[in-house]
Structures are given as C-alpha cells and as structure tokens.
Amino acid sequence: MTVTAILPVSSYDEETVGPAIRRIVASAVSGGDGPLARPRRDALVVVKPNWIQQSHEDAAEVWEPIITHPTIVLSTVDALAEAMGGIGTIVVCDAPHTYASFADIVARGGFAARLAELRRKWPQLGVECVDVRREVWTMHEGIIASRVRNADDPRGYVRLDLATDSLFFGRGSEGRYYGADYDQAGVNRHHRGRVHEYLISGTAMKCDLFVNLPKLKTHKKTGVTCALKNLVGINGDKNWLPHHTEGNPANGGDEFPEIDWRSRVEARAKRLAHRFALRAGPAGTWILGKGRRVGTAMLGDSDSVVRNGNWHGNDTCWRMALDLNRALLYGDATGSWRERGGRKPYLAIVDGIVGGEGNGPLSADAVASGVLIAGTDPAAVDATACRLMGFDPSELRIVARAFDEHRWPIATGSLADVRVDDERVGARIPLDAVEPAIPGGFRPHFGWQNLRRCA
C-alpha cells in the first residue's frame, strides 16, 4: 500500500501554511530512519519549486496559478531547517524556461527578501538559491533573439544515459524529435540508437534529500503537470529534452493530430524557416519572426489550434519526464546508476491552494482548489492530483505509465494500491474515492478536451 495525503489549506497565509508544511516534513523525513533523522553538517537538501516563468503568458501581473507560491517554498525551507537541526545546506533551485527571468521569479511575493530573513534565523545553515540553466534566451515576437551563457550550477552537471532502459529506446522516431531550440540536430544527438542521455543538475544529483514542490496545473503536452513533470527543471539544457515528434500518428509522429493541408503547409514551412534562421544569423531570425506572424494569421494561434504536440496524442513528452524521474531517483553524481535499493530519498508537496486550469502550463487560469498534496512516491502523488483535478489517472500516460514495472521503478506499488489520507473527510480512503477539489473538476487544456473524467 502506498499512502499520500490531502490537506485542506484555503490561503497562503504563513500562519496557515507553515504548520501544515512542518507536519508534512516531520512525518516524512525526520525521526526514525528518515533521511534527516541525524543532523549532519555535510547534509545537502534540494527544494525544487515549479518556477517555469515569472508570470502568465498573456498577463504579466498574474502569477499565482503559474508558479509555486513563495510561502510554500519558504515554509518548506524553514521546516527542513528545523528538521536538520539548523546545520547543513538547503538549495532552492530550478531551471525555468530558457527565456524566463530568474530575478523576476524570485522577486514574486518578496521571496528574495524573505529568504534573507530565513538565513538570519538559521545562521549555521547554508541556504542557496540557484538557477541551474546553462543558457538564457531573449525573445522577440516569439523568436529567439539572443542566447546568453548562464552561470553553471555550482556543483556542475551530470551526464546520465538511460540507454536501453530509456522509454525512447526502440521507439523508431530517431531524427524527428523536437527540443526547445530550432536546431533539431541538438536534441537528436542525445537520443539515437542506444544513447538516451540527459544533462542533470549536479546539485540535484548530489543531494541527500530531494523535496519537490510542484504546482497543481493542466499541461498542453502531458495533460497535467505535477510532481513527475516538474523534474524537467533539474535538466541544465532544455535542448536535450524531446518535447514532441515530427509528423502525426499515421507516420509515428505527434506534432499534429491528423494529416490535412494546414498541417502539411505548416510543417514544411516551419522546417525550412528554422533551417534558414540557423544559417542566416540575425537576418534569419528577423525573417523567421515575420513568417511566424504571417503563419499565425493564416493558420491560427496556439491558443486555439493544436500544433507542436500540444494535445492528448503527444507520445513523446511523458517519456522524457519519466526518464528524468528515473535519473533523479537512481542516478548518482558520477554518471552511473544505483539499483532499486539505492533510491534517492524524496518528498513531494504539491501547491494546490491556487491551481491552474485550461491552457497550462503558461496560460493557466486560477482555480481556488484549496489543497496541499504530500507523499514520498511521485507516481502516487500525481495520481492523487489527477483525482483532485477531476481526471482519471489511468487516462494520462505520464501518470499511468509511471506505475509500470521497470529496472528502476518510479512507483512503489500499483495504482490500485494507492490510499489517501484525505483530511477533507477525515479518513484514509481508496484513490478512486477521492473527490475533485472543486465541483466538476479542472478544465483541461483545449487539446485535451476528450480526456476522461473521474467516474
């Protein structure tokens, strides 16, 4: 039996959030044989929020449904500091979108100033805040205008190859993956034949405990983004990550749902434009931007037209996310692998006080869902999150396939074994008895409208 917890929390008030977080941390990681049972000066704990970008894609002042709330992060750091006896090191880190402003993210809710207060409260504890991206972009009209080298993760990076244990091995889509950049060759160099590798933050790899603080949101490529999908942010280079596959299901791709004149025209034009932009420098980028505007006017924008794998048929992105979970749980700092007995200690606390529905992850609308979800099994946590959003977890491959048998298992039991300590009803109940956080559940991304709801 795998147990998760749902805690009803209605606001981000520190006096409300703090005690709930302390209770979760104390029960999960301290005391007995927990990873923080014996405070050590060399202990390293990672706190990984969802800091995808500083605001809603279309509303610069809206951010609560997009990122993990600062009060959740700060309360977690404080609770961990207490469990660690005020010694060791806690690192808050993420790899946001390549064009996101890390400075603007940590300014939200006065996070940077409030973190400084925690450093004063715990003077013997090292408290760091790290952007683990290797590169930061500036964008103009939706096009990459410049690429700037970012400061490396202070603990470096680890190249981890899942090889034949990757969910991409044997899929037959080599050379057709799209990553974060126009340069398809980049992502396809890292996913070919028996090579399926990722560039993982050294801080994440070297930690003694990984605390995942995702946001409860819908997602255009995976249906939902929660604990499992949040591990995209431990990767130092987004162009090592396959996001979708060129083509449509008829030819083994998932870029578009079907073959029609629009998808043919768009796919052909996009390939030619990207190749030109890579060869022509700034002039190519300028022309690509103009072409994008024309294409949007003719074919529709991405808030209403399915493209780039933004639909329920995406068979690529969930594989990448589960590969990353295995890299975190079983990889080590030398680039080698531990077997089942060496699984990294892990805790997830999901910020569902305000969730995000609709066109997530960047244009999600706020939902007053009023919950925290906690657990030490990311698959069970996400299955619980699906039920709270009103979705059937068996319908979402990123969740359902996390329960598969594997050399390096993600789930610690089966989907049927999950039990939930639901404090909303004051009882431990089966997963399929969990009621949605709001009547009718969350509204999915428009590319996921046929997603089956909970029975």
Side-chain angles (χ1 to χ4, degrees), residues 143-144 147 182-184 268-292:
I143 304 301
I144 303 168
R147 296 170 171 85
Y182 309 142
D183 183 6
Q184 271 186 270
R268 179 66 174 165
K270 183 168 68 174
R271 284 194 296 272
L272 292 173
H274 286 176
R275 289 170 188 165
F276 178 74
L278 288 167
R279 292 170 182 166
T285 300
W286 182 85
I287 292 170
L288 183 58
K290 300 302 179 187
R292 181 187 175 100

Side-chain angles (χ1 to χ4, degrees), residues 39-351:
R40 305 185 344 252
R41 293 196 178 278
D42 63 347
L44 175 63
V45 175
V46 161
V47 173
K48 164 65 177 76
N50 182 333
W51 277 351
I52 188 169
Q53 68 180 38
Q54 62 270 23
S55 66
H56 190 286
E57 192 86 324
D58 305 313
E61 73 284 357
V62 175
W63 55 272
E64 281 197 351
I66 307 302
I67 61 174
T68 308
H69 197 279
T71 302
I72 300 289
V73 183
L74 293 159
S75 294
T76 301
V77 171
D78 194 32
L80 288 166
E82 184 176 322
M84 295 166 72
I87 59 174
T89 301
I90 298 174
V91 184
V92 180
C93 65
D94 197 8
H97 263 192
T98 42
Y99 54 82
S101 167
F102 196 79
D104 288 346
I105 292 169
V106 300
R108 291 299 188 193
F111 175 82
R114 293 164 68 189
L115 190 65
E117 292 174 8
L118 282 180
R119 290 188 177 110
R120 290 190 290 272
K121 179 179 178 180
W122 302 101
Q124 302 302 311
L125 182 78
V127 181
E128 303 173 15
C129 186
V130 179
D131 176 358
V132 302
R133 295 174 295 180
R134 290 201 307 176
E135 190 173 81
V136 178
W137 301 344
T138 57
M139 306 289 284
H140 179 67
E141 296 183 335
I143 304 301
I144 303 168
S146 66
R147 296 170 171 85
V148 178
R149 179 77 182 190
N150 197 32
D152 280 353
D153 181 334
R155 295 170 184 84
Y157 297 93
V158 179
R159 192 180 191 124
L160 278 167
D161 184 4
L162 277 84
T164 58
D165 291 299
S166 168
L167 293 175
F168 289 109
F169 177 70
R171 184 169 177 245
S173 299
E174 292 183 12
R176 296 196 292 144
Y177 294 123
Y178 275 94
D181 205 341
Y182 309 142
D183 183 6
Q184 271 186 270
V187 67
N188 285 288
R189 277 195 300 273
H190 302 293
H191 296 277
R192 68 191 192 284
R194 298 170 68 89
V195 174
H196 295 284
E197 59 186 1
Y198 300 88
L199 191 72
I200 310 296
S201 154
T203 296
M205 283 291 95
K206 294 176 181 178
C207 72
D208 300 296
L209 169 67
F210 187 89
V211 182
N212 195 0
L213 302 182
K215 193 74 175 174
L216 186 66
K217 284 192 297 185
T218 53
H219 195 283
K220 59 189 176 184
K221 286 180 166 54
T222 53
V224 299
T225 172
C226 201
L228 294 163
K229 182 64 172 60
N230 199 38
L231 288 208
V232 168
I234 67 170
N235 195 86
D237 189 326
K238 293 291 199 295
N239 212 35
W240 291 44
L241 306 179
H243 286 73
H244 67 272
T245 303
E246 185 178 86
N248 54 73
N251 60 22
D254 55 25
E255 185 178 8
F256 302 101
E258 58 189 3
I259 304 171
D260 59 19
W261 72 268
R262 289 176 182 269
S263 61
R264 285 194 184 97
V265 168
E266 182 170 339
R268 179 66 174 165
K270 183 168 68 174
R271 284 194 296 272
L272 292 173
H274 286 176
R275 289 170 188 165
F276 178 74
L278 288 167
R279 292 170 182 166
T285 300
W286 182 85
I287 292 170
L288 183 58
K290 300 302 179 187
R292 181 187 175 100
R293 283 217 305 258
V294 171
T296 297
M298 291 176 57
L299 303 172
D301 64 34
S302 295
D303 286 334
S304 57
V305 174
V306 173
R307 55 165 60 91
N308 299 330
N310 298 341
W311 66 300
H312 62 86
N314 188 312
D315 194 38
T316 305
C317 199
W318 68 269
R319 297 172 186 272
M320 171 265 288
L322 297 191
D323 272 6
L324 287 170
N325 276 265
R326 293 190 166 99
L328 173 78
L329 292 171
Y330 296 99
D332 68 25
T334 67
S336 58
W337 296 86
R338 302 185 295 268
E339 295 303 327
R340 290 177 182 238
R343 183 183 176 111
K344 184 184 293 296
Y346 174 102
L347 171 65
I349 306 172
V350 183
D351 176 8

